[in-house]
Amino acid sequence: MSARILDGNALSVQVRSQLADAAAALSARGVQPCLAVILVGGDPASAVYVRNKVAACEKAGIKSLKFEYPQDVDPARVFERIAALNADSSVHGILVQLPLPPQFDEKAVLEAISVAKDVDGFHAENVGRLSQGQEAFFPCTPHGVMKMLEAAEVPVKGADAVVIGRSNIVGKPMAVLLTNAGATVTVCHSQTRDLAAHTRRADIVVAAVGRPRFLKADMVKPGAAVIDVGINRLRDGAEAGKLCGDVDFDAVKEVAGAISPVPGGVGPMTITMLLANTVESARRAAAKAGL
Ligand code: NDP
């Protein structure tokens, strides 16, 4: 039987509409949620991501400010901008699009952003708070995955979950969020000895590898929920140029109980959770100001 498709586009429409209502209510109280985006250099993929984020903000009634710098900019200028945005009470979220050119220390840039405005959830303090189960901004991609599991009523408490990938932006925070939600989590990576032995006993598999169609049908337990975070652009053959995930979708959907597609799965939810974090930051700012 074919798996239930976890439609990230449909869920995004629903969540973004709720966020637009929340943004309108905050604006009526004099606090329009505002996201500042910093883009350095001319990487075309980064430019597309930023354009999509700005467009999504506008549609939800969230103000967006965009600051662009050339590839060879002196990092001091970007740090000055971040400091000014940190000090500006009308700005609730600050996002620096990664990757940055080589003259930048990425970690230092992320740490320069105020914890209260770190809507990407990459600041070490937010990462620490997340791992301690405290209130924090959760990184948008794993946060979006949790929202998808919740909306699809996939049981997480007590489930065996396998996360493939241990990056700071996806794999690790994904494992922490699943652990905090009561799953028993195994994190797999390139050094894992027998990956399929782990994935085959998992009720939930999250693939964040960056390799096209990496997770095959014989690596999945019948009925499992499979979440595909991967975004890969195929280079060769008849499918050159096509986007595909880390999961062999056509085959795995015949084994899994639920599966997210690429495109139209986790991708739109990532932007949606960025909007959610920005609105939440504005809500906190309004509450602090007694509005
Ligand atoms: P990274 O390259 O940082 O991490 C990839 C992870 O996969 C690493 O931990 C690596 O292991 C592991 N890995 C690589 N090869 C294997 C293998 N053969 N077996 C097991 N594990 C392996 O990627 P990201 O986490 O940044 O992104 C992962 C994917 O998700 C990419 O396709 C990216 O484009 C996509 N993505 C999608 C987003 C969305 O919005 N949908 C947002 C962010 C990313 P090791 O650590 O040992 O090297």
Side-chain angles (χ1 to χ4, degrees):
M1 213 181 73
S2 214
R4 211 155 38 110
I5 305 298
L6 305 179
D7 184 341
N9 280 327
L11 181 58
S12 281
V13 169
Q14 200 187 314
V15 177
R16 287 185 202 189
S17 147
Q18 293 161 1
L19 291 169
D21 290 346
L26 281 162
S27 300
R29 283 152 60 196
V31 183
Q32 186 185 15
C34 173
L35 174 70
V37 183
I38 294 175
L39 174 63
V40 183
D43 175 50
S46 291
V48 171
Y49 291 143
V50 165
R51 205 181 314 134
N52 290 344
K53 287 168 186 175
V54 167
C57 279
E58 274 164 22
K59 236 176 142 185
I62 296 170
K63 186 176 171 186
S64 63
L65 305 171
K66 190 165 133 189
F67 301 93
E68 290 185 72
Y69 297 92
Q71 180 80 12
D72 60 356
V73 67
D74 180 344
R77 282 187 59 205
V78 173
F79 280 105
E80 274 164 27
R81 173 61 65 194
I82 292 173
L85 293 168
N86 282 342
D88 183 342
S89 62
S90 72
V91 172
H92 307 103
I94 304 170
L95 178 158
V96 178
Q97 185 65 44
L98 303 178
L100 289 166
Q103 72 272 26
F104 281 87
D105 173 355
E106 252 175 32
K107 196 172 158 289
V109 172
L110 297 178
E111 303 291 288
I113 297 170
S114 152
V115 177
K117 300 185 181 187
D118 171 38
V119 286
D120 253 343
F122 294 159
H123 192 291
E125 190 172 327
N126 270 317
V127 175
R129 296 177 72 87
L130 165 65
S131 78
Q132 293 188 344
Q134 294 181 39
E135 190 179 77
F137 288 120
F138 302 155
C140 301
T141 301
H143 193 186
V145 172
M146 294 306 291
K147 197 87 188 164
M148 288 175 91
L149 292 171
E150 184 192 314
E153 297 182 350
V154 172
V156 175
K157 205 180 280 182
D160 283 325
V162 167
V163 178
I164 318 174
R166 56 174 168 176
S167 71
N168 287 336
I169 63 166
V170 189
K172 279 184 198 155
M174 185 75 253
V176 174
L177 283 170
L178 286 165
T179 303
N180 290 353
T184 301
V185 184
T186 304
V187 181
C188 296
H189 44 75
S190 68
Q191 310 301 310
T192 300
R193 237 178 278 145
D194 186 355
L195 179 75
H198 293 285
T199 56
R200 265 190 218 118
R201 53 163 190 72
D203 306 306
I204 299 168
V205 181
V206 180
V209 192
R211 291 178 180 236
R213 297 177 186 142
F214 177 82
L215 188 77
K216 306 292 183 201
D218 65 359
M219 297 165 76
V220 173
K221 174 163 114 175
V226 176
I227 308 289
D228 191 350
V229 177
I231 302 179
N232 308 290
R233 177 114 17 223
L234 296 172
R235 294 226 179 102
D236 312 308
E239 294 184 298
K242 195 179 154 186
L243 271 191
C244 91
D246 289 344
V247 176
D248 187 4
F249 182 84
D250 289 340
V252 173
K253 80 174 186 331
E254 300 305 322
V255 179
I259 187 168
S260 71
V262 176
V266 177
M269 286 306 292
T270 295
I271 295 190
T272 299
M273 300 328 287
L274 173 67
L275 304 184
N277 282 351
T278 305
V279 169
E280 172 60 19
S281 179
R283 193 195 59 74
R284 288 180 196 170
K288 213 170 156 193
L291 293 165

